[in-house]
Amino acid sequence: MTDSAPFVVRQARSADVRGIQAMLEPYVQRRILLGKDLVVLYEAVQQFVVAEDASGQLIGCGALHVMWEDLGEIRTLIVADEWLHHGVGSAIVEGLENNARALGLSRLFCLTFEVEFFTRRGFAEIGEAVVDPDVYSQLVRSPDEGIAEFLDLAHVKPNTLGNTRMLKTL
């Protein structure tokens, strides 16, 4: 593979879900990303974009999860090892940011070990008070683990150890 090897980023299709799960599993085993049941991935397929190489092989993915009227989360961002540092992750994030703008979102959250990657893309580390109390009272009702991580709730602390909470204004 060369640095100029072509790839495309596109909306995920249901046929991509098993490939997404296959890319996700090694990161779950290493406790870098949270695992997702196959049914959850199918239910969320519209949130995903995927990157594929010229042969149609999946080489990366990422999802945009809407959290509130102006707020979304980039989650499940994965790039195949052999494609790291070839622009795939940046292209996936760009695709997710475009989707966020199309949905009317103005802020994106991520929980990550890859602080430098996200910092280069305009994300900044955040503290605890990133939504007003009224929004907080609504968000805290969500069963979604990503929202609990965004709110930095005590019950998700074991999942988030070592991760950095980051936010970007679009």
Side-chain angles (χ1 to χ4, degrees), residues 62-112:
L64 171 66
H65 181 77
V66 175
M67 299 170 75
W68 198 248
E69 93 182 278
D70 66 333
L71 179 65
E73 178 187 9
I74 291 181
R75 46 172 71 166
T76 320
L77 180 61
I78 303 167
V79 175
D81 288 342
E82 62 273 16
W83 282 88
L84 290 172
H85 310 292
H86 289 86
V88 176
S90 294
I92 291 170
V93 170
E94 183 178 323
L96 295 172
E97 288 178 356
N98 290 338
N99 290 353
R101 285 183 191 94
L103 289 169
L105 303 179
S106 59
R107 298 183 301 160
L108 286 178
F109 165 76
C110 69
L111 181 72
T112 185

